[in-house]
């Protein structure tokens, strides 16, 4: 298989015209040795991180597919750190979609003059551009349309889907008495429709048990162990 | 009169319960001695800048008031560098509203991977928070509502008014064969309605004659001289 992309936390191989293989690595994003899903750089390696991410991805995506929500997911092999997904066309050079339930992370870095860190907020969706050099800038629905990254209709579809999927993840965590503070998704076009792509794992979300932040590997153990 | 606010380019004095006096200074925003309406710091002093800003403000606001567009403007005395305006309640700790016709400045700093500097775009409105420490972060309609800075209805009203007022300024400049690239407004609530506040001057906009950027003082001479 041809490797067609080398990512920060996974590599992508071409299977055929319609499908690609995601090979998960043990690298996670963070800074100065501390995990941070909002960071752009690979900050540390955690043994088992790849396997954990595939297991979580399989768990959540099978639920989403069963619910009829649009995703790129086909199947996964947890023991091989692999997932098969449909090919997707990303928006522009790629966008990230964050759903927030508490004001933390970059929300506080931007708006900390208006709200205390950790405050509960109504479910809130925002889109940032994947652009490491520019620190993943926030972008509005209007600017996405002007820059031909996505139409207003695609934005509305994406925001609705992000809220629905966020709710599924939030509810699954709640079953284990965990609280989802925020989660970062990627979306693209799959078979002509807006669909969730990439992984869903501890590395994409902030989960808390009471006051305690739950690290990705521990989160997977609580969720699936 | 009591001074109630010391600003970067003007000071504010209380006249009575309903009105305040704006006293314009010769300071303009910029960096390293170069004027930049997007900058937060006072970069340089230009003799006559205050007078010029009052003259432009008077010129544009009298037009806007005559058109029935909501503003805080009452009157101005150009020779005294002063304007009388109605008291306004700012949104949160103050917001800035940018209307863009060409992709320049912070739009390029954020989205330069998607569009070449100087490209014409459909009229586009964006809101940033006045927060020097956080570099005036961009904020979406949804986040403005969540943070209780303005309601969605107030946002819609503000965006519509900003586009209308931007069009007035753009057309006035066009009469002198100048092109407006972008303009920065402030809005607040005046008498319970969304209204334009603060000055309209060369210091708030980027005006070009062909390829040549027109400095604020020169712009005023072309417009009013």
């Amino acid at each position: 298989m041809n490797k067609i992309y080398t990512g920060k936390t996974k590599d992508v191989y071409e299977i055929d015209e319609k499908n690609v293989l995601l090979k998960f690595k043990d690298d996670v994003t963070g800074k100065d040795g501390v995990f941070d899903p909002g960071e752009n750089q690979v900050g540390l390696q955690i043994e088992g991180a790849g396997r954990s991410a595939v297991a979580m991805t399989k768990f959540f995506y099978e639920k989403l597919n069963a619910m009829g929500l649009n995703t790129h997911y086909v199947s996964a092999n947890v023991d091989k750190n692999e997932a098969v997904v449909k090919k997707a066309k990303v928006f522009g050079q790629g966008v990230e979609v964050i759903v927030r339930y508490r004001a933390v992370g970059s929300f506080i870095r931007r708006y900390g003059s208006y709200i205390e860190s950790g405050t509960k907020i109504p479910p809130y969706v925002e889109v940032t551009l994947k652009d490491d050099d520019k620190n993943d800038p926030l972008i509005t629905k209007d600017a996405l349309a002007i820059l031909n990254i996505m139409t207003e209709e695609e934005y509305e579809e994406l925001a609705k889907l992000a809220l629905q999927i966020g709710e599924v993840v939030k509810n699954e965590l709640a079953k284990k008495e965990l609280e989802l503070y925020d989660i970062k998704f990627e979306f693209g076009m799959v078979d002509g429709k807006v669909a969730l792509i990439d992984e869903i794992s501890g590395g994409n979300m902030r989960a808390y048990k009471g006051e305690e932040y739950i690290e990705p590997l521990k989160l997977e153990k609580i969720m699936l162990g």
Side-chain angles (χ1 to χ4, degrees), chain A residues 99-163:
Chain A
V99 184
R100 303 181 180 279
Y101 304 97
R102 291 228 191 202
V104 291
S106 60
F107 194 83
I108 286 295
R109 286 196 288 277
R110 280 190 244 116
Y111 311 132
S113 305
Y114 284 88
I115 192 165
E116 213 168 317
S117 183
T119 309
K120 280 192 189 181
I121 55 175
Y124 162 72
V125 177
E126 66 188 16
V127 178
T128 61
L129 298 179
K130 284 173 77 111
D131 191 337
D132 290 358
D133 293 339
K134 298 187 186 297
N135 262 315
D136 291 355
L138 179 66
I139 187 163
T140 64
K141 177 170 72 171
D142 295 342
L144 285 164
I146 281 174
L147 295 171
N148 295 313
I149 296 172
M150 69 180 75
T151 64
E152 286 192 36
E153 293 71 29
E154 286 165 348
Y155 180 93
E156 297 298 348
E157 183 61 30
L158 176 154
K160 190 181 144 198
L161 198 50
L163 285 172

Side-chain angles (χ1 to χ4, degrees), chain A residues 1 13-20 87:
Chain A
M1 279 184 298
Y13 297 85
E14 179 151 45
I15 297 174
D16 57 33
E17 266 177 36
K18 295 207 152 186
N19 299 285
V20 294
K87 274 190 190 173

Side-chain angles (χ1 to χ4, degrees), chain A residues 50-61:
Chain A
R51 187 184 197 283
S52 168
V54 180
M56 289 280 274
T57 294
K58 182 177 161 72
F59 174 76
F60 285 113
Y61 268 97

